[in-house]
Amino acid sequence: GMLMREGTINRSKEQIDESIDFIGASLSTSSGGMFASSLSRHTETLLEIMSDVLLNPTFPLAELDRRITQSKSGLATVRNDANAIARNVGLVAVYGTDHPYGQISTVESLDNITRSMLVDYYNTYFKPNVAYLVIVGDIDVDRARILSEKYFGNWKKGDVPTHTYPTPKAPEGRRVAFAERPGA
């Protein structure tokens, strides 16, 4: 999701950054959506940039490689952090390794990420029928409706899969979980 902001069919990352900075706005994206804010007089400019980022992301490979390298560095720094170790052990103990919340990022899992996986995720889950648009500020409902139709009206609905996972079982008693920490 973060890579959506890193380039579109129409704009490079630099052009997006420059446009956002020029109007004094902010724009962030994530796997769960996007958030932006600006002064009211820049609403249409911001919505145009947002719609481009949302509807035309290119997920540049160089940016993906950079993010993976950053994530690997982050893993290296927390490898010996007691809080991080405890959090990871706790997640696996509560949810198990077959549940998404029990999945722990590793260097190997990061190495398995490909650009096509990002494109597939985007094409599968970024649909207007499972999204919402919230507009807060100096605007009335009619104008908000007109602008949302203008900038997001061409976004096509689609089937979005749902996933169900078993509810984690409560512990059947006390357990002690150990995590090896080399050199401790």
Side-chain angles (χ1 to χ4, degrees):
M2 291 183 284
L3 287 181
M4 290 174 61
R5 193 187 185 292
E6 303 300 318
T8 72
I9 293 168
N10 305 306
R11 293 177 172 90
S12 67
K13 176 190 182 333
E14 294 75 23
Q15 290 171 318
I16 293 168
D17 290 343
E18 208 172 275
S19 298
I20 293 295
D21 288 347
F22 184 75
I23 61 172
S26 67
L27 172 65
S28 61
T29 59
S30 70
S31 61
M34 63 175 26
F35 170 83
S37 66
S38 74
L39 295 173
S40 295
R41 68 177 178 249
H42 300 301
T43 298
E44 288 210 48
T45 302
L46 182 60
L47 287 173
E48 197 276 321
I49 296 166
M50 285 180 70
S51 68
D52 188 32
V53 167
L54 175 65
L55 302 175
N56 304 306
T58 57
F59 305 103
L61 186 57
E63 290 299 321
L64 173 60
D65 291 341
R66 186 178 66 80
R67 296 286 175 129
I68 289 173
T69 300
Q70 284 177 338
S71 295
K72 287 179 183 178
S73 295
L75 286 177
T77 61
V78 299
R79 183 181 9 221
N80 292 318
D81 178 63
N83 290 325
I85 294 168
R87 182 182 66 249
N88 289 343
V89 170
L91 290 173
V92 172
V94 170
Y95 295 102
T97 57
D98 292 333
H99 192 285
Y101 293 163
Q103 299 291 315
I104 306 301
S105 290
T106 64
V107 170
E108 294 78 20
S109 66
L110 292 171
D111 284 337
N112 289 328
I113 297 172
T114 64
R115 182 184 174 281
S116 66
M117 293 169 84
L118 302 180
V119 172
D120 287 345
Y121 182 88
Y122 169 81
N123 288 330
T124 302
Y125 295 102
F126 277 72
K127 305 289 182 191
N129 44 302
V130 293
Y132 55 90
L133 175 64
V134 177
I135 300 175
V136 178
D138 185 18
I139 190 168
D140 62 46
V141 174
D142 291 333
R143 178 134 169 84
R145 189 171 285 122
I146 290 167
L147 291 175
S148 62
E149 182 61 35
K150 178 179 178 180
Y151 292 104
F152 302 103
N154 290 333
W155 193 15
K156 302 293 183 221
K157 292 181 180 182
D159 293 328
V160 177
T162 58
H163 305 282
T164 56
Y165 300 96
T167 302
K169 294 178 183 170
E172 296 178 2
R174 292 186 180 149
R175 274 183 1 191
V176 176
F178 287 93
E180 188 173 334
R181 183 173 160 201

PDB file of all heavy atoms in Angstrom, residues 147-170:
ATOM      1  N   LEU A 147     -17.687  16.124  -6.366  1.00  0.00           N
ATOM      2  CA  LEU A 147     -16.238  15.904  -6.455  1.00  0.00           C
ATOM      3  C   LEU A 147     -15.877  14.424  -6.374  1.00  0.00           C
ATOM      4  O   LEU A 147     -14.987  13.958  -7.099  1.00  0.00           O
ATOM      5  CB  LEU A 147     -15.516  16.683  -5.353  1.00  0.00           C
ATOM      6  CG  LEU A 147     -15.526  18.205  -5.498  1.00  0.00           C
ATOM      7  CD1 LEU A 147     -14.882  18.867  -4.289  1.00  0.00           C
ATOM      8  CD2 LEU A 147     -14.839  18.634  -6.789  1.00  0.00           C
ATOM      9  N   SER A 148     -16.544  13.689  -5.511  1.00  0.00           N
ATOM     10  CA  SER A 148     -16.222  12.265  -5.406  1.00  0.00           C
ATOM     11  C   SER A 148     -16.579  11.539  -6.701  1.00  0.00           C
ATOM     12  O   SER A 148     -15.836  10.662  -7.153  1.00  0.00           O
ATOM     13  CB  SER A 148     -16.904  11.620  -4.198  1.00  0.00           C
ATOM     14  OG  SER A 148     -18.297  11.685  -4.306  1.00  0.00           O
ATOM     15  N   GLU A 149     -17.678  11.914  -7.324  1.00  0.00           N
ATOM     16  CA  GLU A 149     -18.050  11.308  -8.606  1.00  0.00           C
ATOM     17  C   GLU A 149     -17.054  11.717  -9.695  1.00  0.00           C
ATOM     18  O   GLU A 149     -16.643  10.896 -10.514  1.00  0.00           O
ATOM     19  CB  GLU A 149     -19.471  11.722  -8.994  1.00  0.00           C
ATOM     20  CG  GLU A 149     -19.959  11.105 -10.281  1.00  0.00           C
ATOM     21  CD  GLU A 149     -20.010   9.583 -10.254  1.00  0.00           C
ATOM     22  OE1 GLU A 149     -20.311   8.995  -9.203  1.00  0.00           O
ATOM     23  OE2 GLU A 149     -19.717   8.981 -11.316  1.00  0.00           O
ATOM     24  N   LYS A 150     -16.642  12.977  -9.691  1.00  0.00           N
ATOM     25  CA  LYS A 150     -15.701  13.474 -10.698  1.00  0.00           C
ATOM     26  C   LYS A 150     -14.363  12.743 -10.622  1.00  0.00           C
ATOM     27  O   LYS A 150     -13.804  12.344 -11.651  1.00  0.00           O
ATOM     28  CB  LYS A 150     -15.485  14.976 -10.509  1.00  0.00           C
ATOM     29  CG  LYS A 150     -14.486  15.588 -11.472  1.00  0.00           C
ATOM     30  CD  LYS A 150     -14.343  17.088 -11.257  1.00  0.00           C
ATOM     31  CE  LYS A 150     -13.313  17.700 -12.188  1.00  0.00           C
ATOM     32  NZ  LYS A 150     -13.184  19.154 -11.965  1.00  0.00           N
ATOM     33  N   TYR A 151     -13.836  12.557  -9.415  1.00  0.00           N
ATOM     34  CA  TYR A 151     -12.488  12.009  -9.277  1.00  0.00           C
ATOM     35  C   TYR A 151     -12.432  10.501  -9.036  1.00  0.00           C
ATOM     36  O   TYR A 151     -11.397   9.876  -9.282  1.00  0.00           O
ATOM     37  CB  TYR A 151     -11.729  12.754  -8.179  1.00  0.00           C
ATOM     38  CG  TYR A 151     -11.451  14.174  -8.593  1.00  0.00           C
ATOM     39  CD1 TYR A 151     -12.177  15.235  -8.072  1.00  0.00           C
ATOM     40  CD2 TYR A 151     -10.505  14.454  -9.568  1.00  0.00           C
ATOM     41  CE1 TYR A 151     -11.947  16.539  -8.485  1.00  0.00           C
ATOM     42  CE2 TYR A 151     -10.266  15.753  -9.993  1.00  0.00           C
ATOM     43  CZ  TYR A 151     -10.994  16.782  -9.446  1.00  0.00           C
ATOM     44  OH  TYR A 151     -10.768  18.064  -9.875  1.00  0.00           O
ATOM     45  N   PHE A 152     -13.518   9.903  -8.551  1.00  0.00           N
ATOM     46  CA  PHE A 152     -13.487   8.473  -8.252  1.00  0.00           C
ATOM     47  C   PHE A 152     -14.612   7.702  -8.942  1.00  0.00           C
ATOM     48  O   PHE A 152     -14.755   6.499  -8.737  1.00  0.00           O
ATOM     49  CB  PHE A 152     -13.554   8.253  -6.738  1.00  0.00           C
ATOM     50  CG  PHE A 152     -12.432   8.928  -6.014  1.00  0.00           C
ATOM     51  CD1 PHE A 152     -12.651  10.116  -5.327  1.00  0.00           C
ATOM     52  CD2 PHE A 152     -11.152   8.410  -6.028  1.00  0.00           C
ATOM     53  CE1 PHE A 152     -11.618  10.760  -4.658  1.00  0.00           C
ATOM     54  CE2 PHE A 152     -10.114   9.044  -5.373  1.00  0.00           C
ATOM     55  CZ  PHE A 152     -10.340  10.223  -4.687  1.00  0.00           C
ATOM     56  N   GLY A 153     -15.404   8.378  -9.755  1.00  0.00           N
ATOM     57  CA  GLY A 153     -16.550   7.753 -10.403  1.00  0.00           C
ATOM     58  C   GLY A 153     -16.202   6.652 -11.391  1.00  0.00           C
ATOM     59  O   GLY A 153     -17.015   5.767 -11.645  1.00  0.00           O
ATOM     60  N   ASN A 154     -15.017   6.665 -11.954  1.00  0.00           N
ATOM     61  CA  ASN A 154     -14.618   5.635 -12.917  1.00  0.00           C
ATOM     62  C   ASN A 154     -14.013   4.396 -12.259  1.00  0.00           C
ATOM     63  O   ASN A 154     -13.667   3.440 -12.954  1.00  0.00           O
ATOM     64  CB  ASN A 154     -13.605   6.200 -13.919  1.00  0.00           C
ATOM     65  CG  ASN A 154     -14.250   7.197 -14.852  1.00  0.00           C
ATOM     66  OD1 ASN A 154     -15.446   7.133 -15.120  1.00  0.00           O
ATOM     67  ND2 ASN A 154     -13.462   8.136 -15.335  1.00  0.00           N
ATOM     68  N   TRP A 155     -13.882   4.419 -10.965  1.00  0.00           N
ATOM     69  CA  TRP A 155     -13.318   3.289 -10.233  1.00  0.00           C
ATOM     70  C   TRP A 155     -14.313   2.141 -10.297  1.00  0.00           C
ATOM     71  O   TRP A 155     -15.452   2.261  -9.868  1.00  0.00           O
ATOM     72  CB  TRP A 155     -13.062   3.729  -8.804  1.00  0.00           C
ATOM     73  CG  TRP A 155     -12.213   2.834  -7.977  1.00  0.00           C
ATOM     74  CD1 TRP A 155     -11.406   1.820  -8.384  1.00  0.00           C
ATOM     75  CD2 TRP A 155     -12.077   2.905  -6.555  1.00  0.00           C
ATOM     76  NE1 TRP A 155     -10.777   1.238  -7.319  1.00  0.00           N
ATOM     77  CE2 TRP A 155     -11.173   1.893  -6.182  1.00  0.00           C
ATOM     78  CE3 TRP A 155     -12.632   3.708  -5.579  1.00  0.00           C
ATOM     79  CZ2 TRP A 155     -10.817   1.673  -4.856  1.00  0.00           C
ATOM     80  CZ3 TRP A 155     -12.267   3.499  -4.265  1.00  0.00           C
ATOM     81  CH2 TRP A 155     -11.365   2.492  -3.904  1.00  0.00           C
ATOM     82  N   LYS A 156     -13.906   1.010 -10.838  1.00  0.00           N
ATOM     83  CA  LYS A 156     -14.800  -0.113 -11.105  1.00  0.00           C
ATOM     84  C   LYS A 156     -14.946  -1.043  -9.903  1.00  0.00           C
ATOM     85  O   LYS A 156     -13.965  -1.421  -9.275  1.00  0.00           O
ATOM     86  CB  LYS A 156     -14.287  -0.940 -12.296  1.00  0.00           C
ATOM     87  CG  LYS A 156     -14.139  -0.145 -13.570  1.00  0.00           C
ATOM     88  CD  LYS A 156     -15.469   0.306 -14.112  1.00  0.00           C
ATOM     89  CE  LYS A 156     -15.303   1.036 -15.426  1.00  0.00           C
ATOM     90  NZ  LYS A 156     -16.132   2.174 -15.565  1.00  0.00           N
ATOM     91  N   LYS A 157     -16.206  -1.394  -9.632  1.00  0.00           N
ATOM     92  CA  LYS A 157     -16.508  -2.362  -8.584  1.00  0.00           C
ATOM     93  C   LYS A 157     -15.985  -3.726  -8.981  1.00  0.00           C
ATOM     94  O   LYS A 157     -15.743  -3.997 -10.151  1.00  0.00           O
ATOM     95  CB  LYS A 157     -18.014  -2.455  -8.354  1.00  0.00           C
ATOM     96  CG  LYS A 157     -18.629  -1.231  -7.760  1.00  0.00           C
ATOM     97  CD  LYS A 157     -20.122  -1.454  -7.550  1.00  0.00           C
ATOM     98  CE  LYS A 157     -20.765  -0.219  -6.943  1.00  0.00           C
ATOM     99  NZ  LYS A 157     -22.198  -0.429  -6.696  1.00  0.00           N
ATOM    100  N   GLY A 158     -15.835  -4.586  -7.996  1.00  0.00           N
ATOM    101  CA  GLY A 158     -15.395  -5.943  -8.277  1.00  0.00           C
ATOM    102  C   GLY A 158     -15.614  -6.844  -7.081  1.00  0.00           C
ATOM    103  O   GLY A 158     -15.866  -6.374  -5.968  1.00  0.00           O
ATOM    104  N   ASP A 159     -15.523  -8.126  -7.321  1.00  0.00           N
ATOM    105  CA  ASP A 159     -15.644  -9.091  -6.235  1.00  0.00           C
ATOM    106  C   ASP A 159     -14.390  -9.040  -5.385  1.00  0.00           C
ATOM    107  O   ASP A 159     -13.265  -9.014  -5.909  1.00  0.00           O
ATOM    108  CB  ASP A 159     -15.825 -10.505  -6.792  1.00  0.00           C
ATOM    109  CG  ASP A 159     -17.152 -10.678  -7.513  1.00  0.00           C
ATOM    110  OD1 ASP A 159     -18.129 -10.015  -7.105  1.00  0.00           O
ATOM    111  OD2 ASP A 159     -17.203 -11.468  -8.473  1.00  0.00           O
ATOM    112  N   VAL A 160     -14.588  -9.022  -4.081  1.00  0.00           N
ATOM    113  CA  VAL A 160     -13.472  -9.012  -3.140  1.00  0.00           C
ATOM    114  C   VAL A 160     -13.626 -10.232  -2.238  1.00  0.00           C
ATOM    115  O   VAL A 160     -14.663 -10.390  -1.584  1.00  0.00           O
ATOM    116  CB  VAL A 160     -13.453  -7.720  -2.300  1.00  0.00           C
ATOM    117  CG1 VAL A 160     -12.327  -7.758  -1.280  1.00  0.00           C
ATOM    118  CG2 VAL A 160     -13.311  -6.507  -3.209  1.00  0.00           C
ATOM    119  N   PRO A 161     -12.631 -11.104  -2.217  1.00  0.00           N
ATOM    120  CA  PRO A 161     -12.760 -12.289  -1.383  1.00  0.00           C
ATOM    121  C   PRO A 161     -12.767 -11.936   0.106  1.00  0.00           C
ATOM    122  O   PRO A 161     -12.183 -10.941   0.514  1.00  0.00           O
ATOM    123  CB  PRO A 161     -11.513 -13.115  -1.731  1.00  0.00           C
ATOM    124  CG  PRO A 161     -10.542 -12.145  -2.309  1.00  0.00           C
ATOM    125  CD  PRO A 161     -11.352 -11.037  -2.911  1.00  0.00           C
ATOM    126  N   THR A 162     -13.467 -12.738   0.850  1.00  0.00           N
ATOM    127  CA  THR A 162     -13.438 -12.598   2.301  1.00  0.00           C
ATOM    128  C   THR A 162     -12.716 -13.817   2.858  1.00  0.00           C
ATOM    129  O   THR A 162     -12.734 -14.901   2.264  1.00  0.00           O
ATOM    130  CB  THR A 162     -14.854 -12.511   2.894  1.00  0.00           C
ATOM    131  OG1 THR A 162     -15.579 -13.685   2.523  1.00  0.00           O
ATOM    132  CG2 THR A 162     -15.580 -11.281   2.400  1.00  0.00           C
ATOM    133  N   HIS A 163     -12.088 -13.632   3.971  1.00  0.00           N
ATOM    134  CA  HIS A 163     -11.323 -14.708   4.590  1.00  0.00           C
ATOM    135  C   HIS A 163     -11.812 -14.888   6.015  1.00  0.00           C
ATOM    136  O   HIS A 163     -12.076 -13.906   6.715  1.00  0.00           O
ATOM    137  CB  HIS A 163      -9.834 -14.374   4.595  1.00  0.00           C
ATOM    138  CG  HIS A 163      -9.298 -14.047   3.227  1.00  0.00           C
ATOM    139  ND1 HIS A 163      -9.005 -15.010   2.304  1.00  0.00           N
ATOM    140  CD2 HIS A 163      -9.056 -12.861   2.618  1.00  0.00           C
ATOM    141  CE1 HIS A 163      -8.581 -14.434   1.186  1.00  0.00           C
ATOM    142  NE2 HIS A 163      -8.609 -13.127   1.353  1.00  0.00           N
ATOM    143  N   THR A 164     -11.931 -16.108   6.428  1.00  0.00           N
ATOM    144  CA  THR A 164     -12.291 -16.390   7.813  1.00  0.00           C
ATOM    145  C   THR A 164     -11.190 -17.240   8.428  1.00  0.00           C
ATOM    146  O   THR A 164     -10.603 -18.105   7.763  1.00  0.00           O
ATOM    147  CB  THR A 164     -13.637 -17.125   7.920  1.00  0.00           C
ATOM    148  OG1 THR A 164     -13.581 -18.324   7.144  1.00  0.00           O
ATOM    149  CG2 THR A 164     -14.780 -16.251   7.409  1.00  0.00           C
ATOM    150  N   TYR A 165     -10.934 -16.960   9.657  1.00  0.00           N
ATOM    151  CA  TYR A 165      -9.896 -17.682  10.384  1.00  0.00           C
ATOM    152  C   TYR A 165     -10.489 -18.133  11.709  1.00  0.00           C
ATOM    153  O   TYR A 165     -11.347 -17.450  12.275  1.00  0.00           O
ATOM    154  CB  TYR A 165      -8.678 -16.777  10.627  1.00  0.00           C
ATOM    155  CG  TYR A 165      -8.078 -16.283   9.338  1.00  0.00           C
ATOM    156  CD1 TYR A 165      -8.422 -15.035   8.817  1.00  0.00           C
ATOM    157  CD2 TYR A 165      -7.209 -17.081   8.619  1.00  0.00           C
ATOM    158  CE1 TYR A 165      -7.903 -14.602   7.614  1.00  0.00           C
ATOM    159  CE2 TYR A 165      -6.678 -16.644   7.415  1.00  0.00           C
ATOM    160  CZ  TYR A 165      -7.024 -15.407   6.923  1.00  0.00           C
ATOM    161  OH  TYR A 165      -6.510 -14.980   5.725  1.00  0.00           O
ATOM    162  N   PRO A 166     -10.029 -19.256  12.201  1.00  0.00           N
ATOM    163  CA  PRO A 166     -10.578 -19.727  13.479  1.00  0.00           C
ATOM    164  C   PRO A 166     -10.236 -18.755  14.607  1.00  0.00           C
ATOM    165  O   PRO A 166      -9.172 -18.140  14.611  1.00  0.00           O
ATOM    166  CB  PRO A 166      -9.904 -21.085  13.694  1.00  0.00           C
ATOM    167  CG  PRO A 166      -8.696 -21.084  12.806  1.00  0.00           C
ATOM    168  CD  PRO A 166      -8.994 -20.132  11.688  1.00  0.00           C
ATOM    169  N   THR A 167     -11.167 -18.622  15.523  1.00  0.00           N
ATOM    170  CA  THR A 167     -10.917 -17.801  16.704  1.00  0.00           C
ATOM    171  C   THR A 167      -9.873 -18.513  17.554  1.00  0.00           C
ATOM    172  O   THR A 167     -10.000 -19.722  17.803  1.00  0.00           O
ATOM    173  CB  THR A 167     -12.219 -17.615  17.506  1.00  0.00           C
ATOM    174  OG1 THR A 167     -13.177 -17.004  16.644  1.00  0.00           O
ATOM    175  CG2 THR A 167     -11.991 -16.755  18.733  1.00  0.00           C
ATOM    176  N   PRO A 168      -8.846 -17.814  17.981  1.00  0.00           N
ATOM    177  CA  PRO A 168      -7.826 -18.467  18.812  1.00  0.00           C
ATOM    178  C   PRO A 168      -8.454 -19.044  20.075  1.00  0.00           C
ATOM    179  O   PRO A 168      -9.361 -18.459  20.663  1.00  0.00           O
ATOM    180  CB  PRO A 168      -6.865 -17.331  19.155  1.00  0.00           C
ATOM    181  CG  PRO A 168      -7.100 -16.303  18.106  1.00  0.00           C
ATOM    182  CD  PRO A 168      -8.537 -16.420  17.723  1.00  0.00           C
ATOM    183  N   LYS A 169      -7.978 -20.214  20.454  1.00  0.00           N
ATOM    184  CA  LYS A 169      -8.472 -20.866  21.661  1.00  0.00           C
ATOM    185  C   LYS A 169      -7.819 -20.242  22.887  1.00  0.00           C
ATOM    186  O   LYS A 169      -6.642 -19.892  22.865  1.00  0.00           O
ATOM    187  CB  LYS A 169      -8.156 -22.361  21.616  1.00  0.00           C
ATOM    188  CG  LYS A 169      -8.900 -23.081  20.516  1.00  0.00           C
ATOM    189  CD  LYS A 169      -8.522 -24.543  20.479  1.00  0.00           C
ATOM    190  CE  LYS A 169      -9.232 -25.206  19.304  1.00  0.00           C
ATOM    191  NZ  LYS A 169      -8.730 -26.543  19.062  1.00  0.00           N
ATOM    192  N   ALA A 170      -8.598 -20.124  23.921  1.00  0.00           N
ATOM    193  CA  ALA A 170      -8.055 -19.624  25.189  1.00  0.00           C
ATOM    194  C   ALA A 170      -7.053 -20.642  25.711  1.00  0.00           C
ATOM    195  O   ALA A 170      -7.227 -21.851  25.527  1.00  0.00           O
ATOM    196  CB  ALA A 170      -9.181 -19.410  26.187  1.00  0.00           C
TER     197      ALA A 170
END
